[in-house]
Amino acid sequence: MRLTVETIEDVLDLVYVHRESTLDLRGVSAVDPYALLTLDLAVRHARESGRRLRVAWPDAPGIRRTLTSARFFADVKTGIDHLPAADPDLVLQPIAAIDREENVTALVDAFDRRLADRYPIDEAPRRRFLRILLELFQNIPQHANATGDVLDPHGIATMADDGECVILAIADKGIGLRRSLALRPGAAPRSDADALRAAVLEGASRFIDPGRGQELARIVRRVRAWEGAVAVRSGTALFYESDAGGDVVDVAPFPGVQISLAIPRRAFGIGEATFGERGVESYEDPGFNE
């Protein structure tokens, strides 16, 4: 079982629509960065909501080692004993907290260093990627708790390489796009899907000042130009776009905003990966295909 942008929706449906009290992940062999962060927040949110959710975590030693290295178990605070030792080189960028705006620049620099230490990257796409990191990371302290009534939006980010793409994921469990856009007078979207279309496709913002907002729309256009894939989820709506097209679909209710950007390695000037190249596990059990 592989948890991806698409299949993590099955998990959210089980937990938040069917209200299952047990989540069996023992057979999971791979988790992409978006699914990793969404699972992290889903378990955390269920716990904070007073839900009794029992999770059976992946059994395979390889995936456990990779999730440990990604700091997933530490962030979720599972309390699992006897986890394998973390390998800092096994994932491109472990889960990092995005909590205060004054810390964003240092976090962007840290992500940039992890990518640059792994690969020689062309300067122009590197600068564009830094702007994307800065805009997306700033969105969490600026928007995730704009109403001031969320105890812990828990903004987090991670990064991986699946051999074809560098995948960046950013997520929070804050107020979401619809409630954020509703703070602008006369601009309250009727639904999460309307809010998603307004923010991602039209560049809408909760700020009335000219020039504010449009970050998500610009980022989607940039990733589209790179021939990559984008997923943006908020509330009960998910926007997904790849080379096969894009659409907004209805999904299970879940707070906050969750984003995935899959950028082809060639956009950075990175050569094609070879099978078994170190760092291309993408949260996958190395023994899965043996």
Side-chain angles (χ1 to χ4, degrees):
M1 187 169 66
R2 303 168 69 88
L3 294 182
T4 65
V5 170
E6 294 87 0
T7 63
I8 192 64
E9 290 301 328
D10 296 333
V11 172
L12 295 179
D13 193 64
L14 284 172
V15 176
Y16 291 100
V17 176
H18 297 285
R19 310 292 292 180
E20 294 285 349
S21 60
T22 300
L23 188 59
D24 188 354
L25 303 178
R26 288 175 295 176
V28 167
S29 60
V31 186
D32 76 18
Y34 173 94
L36 186 83
L37 299 192
T38 303
L39 179 62
D40 180 317
L41 296 180
V43 172
R44 182 181 294 271
H45 182 255
R47 186 185 300 150
E48 292 172 354
S49 301
R51 291 277 308 281
R52 290 189 176 182
L53 180 64
R54 176 184 175 274
V55 183
W57 298 106
D59 283 336
I63 187 67
R64 283 201 171 206
R65 182 170 63 252
T66 310
L67 293 182
T68 300
S69 302
R71 298 180 190 154
F72 172 79
F73 291 127
D75 196 64
V76 176
K77 296 179 172 59
T78 59
I80 299 176
D81 295 327
H82 310 300
L83 285 170
D87 180 350
D89 294 325
L90 195 57
V91 297
L92 188 51
Q93 169 62 51
I95 292 174
I98 307 173
D99 48 8
R100 296 192 300 273
E101 192 165 3
E102 56 265 33
N103 296 341
V104 164
T105 299
L107 188 60
V108 168
D109 289 342
F111 271 63
D112 177 49
R113 283 196 304 273
R114 294 283 295 197
L115 191 60
D117 287 348
R118 184 72 63 89
Y119 309 112
I121 302 174
D122 293 346
E123 189 59 31
R126 180 180 181 180
R127 288 197 302 270
R128 295 189 189 103
F129 188 60
L130 285 174
R131 287 197 293 270
I132 288 173
L133 290 173
L134 185 61
E135 289 177 345
L136 289 179
F137 289 0
Q138 284 178 333
N139 275 348
I140 289 179
Q142 289 179 355
H143 299 283
N145 191 22
T147 57
D149 59 1
V150 178
L151 182 62
D152 175 23
H154 200 71
I156 47 179
T158 188
M159 189 165 56
D161 182 338
D162 68 358
E164 296 180 357
C165 295
V166 172
I167 305 173
L168 172 70
I170 308 97
D172 67 74
K173 56 180 182 63
I175 63 173
L177 290 174
R178 183 168 60 88
R179 290 183 64 196
S180 179
L181 292 179
L183 294 174
R184 179 172 176 170
R190 292 174 297 179
S191 67
D192 290 319
D194 287 342
L196 202 52
R197 291 187 183 95
V200 173
L201 301 178
E202 301 167 15
S205 168
R206 71 182 175 91
F207 297 112
I208 199 169
D209 307 353
R212 298 296 298 270
Q214 302 187 27
E215 293 93 348
L216 278 177
R218 282 196 297 264
I219 289 167
V220 168
R221 290 195 296 270
R222 167 50 56 192
V223 177
R224 185 184 297 146
W226 278 332
E227 299 180 325
V230 180
V232 184
R233 192 193 201 285
S234 185
T236 58
L238 168 68
F239 168 81
Y240 183 74
E241 179 177 282
S242 66
D243 55 3
D247 200 4
V248 175
V249 298
D250 294 331
V251 289
F254 188 69
V257 178
Q258 298 82 43
I259 299 172
S260 173
L261 307 180
I263 302 170
R265 290 161 59 106
R266 63 180 179 275
F268 292 102
I270 302 171
E272 292 297 323
T274 58
F275 182 79
E277 177 180 335
R278 186 169 180 79
V280 184
E281 293 83 357
S282 189
Y283 308 128
E284 182 169 341
D285 177 5
F288 180 61
N289 290 318
E290 290 181 357

